[in-house]
Amino acid sequence: MAEERADLRKIVDDIMRACEAYEYWLPDPDMRASLHGLAADDPRSVTVGLSYLWDRSFIEYPNVFQPAVPAVRYVLALLDRKVGGDTVIRSPDGRLQPLRGHLLTWLSAVADAVGDVRVREFVELAGYSPLEYPNSAWHAVRQLRSQMYEAAAAFLDDPDPRVRQEAITAAVVLVRVPELAVHREHIAAAARAFLDACTDPVRRRWADEAFSELSPTYVADEPVRTQPELDRMN
């Protein structure tokens, strides 16, 4: 356990160094302690840490910043430890669900932020591709997508339907990547099972849309919705 805490501290240090590397940007002095709070047992500390995770230090449309790279590694490490257990907290936008669901939601957002659709939008806005620079955060985050998929897949059978939903949502985004397309059938089956077992009309509609996107005849050119209406109302 002490070794795990040391590893998490090191990753947070990496996040802070990446933030400090911006010449005209000083990170919030409370950011380090707040990010550590995501690994705490105190719901208030976890809630504050989650708000910092959604800070614009990592992604802000249409940009993906360098601190997003260690931040992804931090979230992957937290999910690997299943930090939060059954702790249910509310996100900055009002979504109430277990911490592991919130972490999967964040992974969905980051995976979407570096996807091909977002790259095209970036080119339209900036006139050049963010992938032109091999050392960019875009490339580094894209290289982590296989690990992000593995993290999401580990929660496809989670006992909490809110967590299963976020795991499927993240996986649907990630299996768009050619090297992860081999998992599309597995994720389609998970979405189908979720749909068959679900009685809530809003979640059923979401599951049907997720399943439809993964069908062989579906051609996607729009980002997947990562925040279903139901979660905003909970």
Side-chain angles (χ1 to χ4, degrees), residues 68-197:
V69 182
V72 168
R73 292 195 292 107
Y74 187 49
V75 169
L76 293 175
L78 291 169
L79 285 170
D80 187 56
R81 297 174 65 220
K82 296 181 175 58
V83 167
D86 293 326
T87 301
V88 176
I89 60 173
R90 195 172 296 279
S91 67
D93 66 351
R95 307 178 73 200
L96 188 66
Q97 61 183 359
L99 173 61
R100 56 196 186 278
H102 288 299
L103 296 176
L104 289 165
T105 301
W106 188 83
L107 280 186
S108 295
V110 176
D112 179 69
V114 298
D116 290 345
V117 170
R118 298 305 188 193
V119 170
R120 290 197 296 271
E121 291 174 351
F122 188 100
V123 172
E124 290 173 1
L125 290 169
Y128 66 92
S129 172
L131 302 179
E132 290 179 11
Y133 305 95
N135 295 324
S136 70
W138 291 71
H139 275 294
V141 172
R142 285 163 75 101
Q143 289 171 0
L144 292 170
R145 288 186 295 193
S146 292
Q147 296 177 47
M148 295 164 73
Y149 171 79
E150 291 173 4
F155 291 92
L156 293 174
D157 297 318
D158 193 275
D160 192 306
R162 293 168 295 185
V163 177
R164 290 202 305 276
Q165 180 172 319
E166 297 306 330
I168 294 170
T169 299
V172 167
V173 175
L174 289 159
V175 296
R176 291 175 169 179
V177 181
E179 60 266 29
L180 296 175
V182 66
H183 301 295
R184 289 175 66 89
E185 185 175 341
H186 177 56
I187 301 307
R192 178 79 255 178
F194 189 102
L195 176 63
D196 290 343

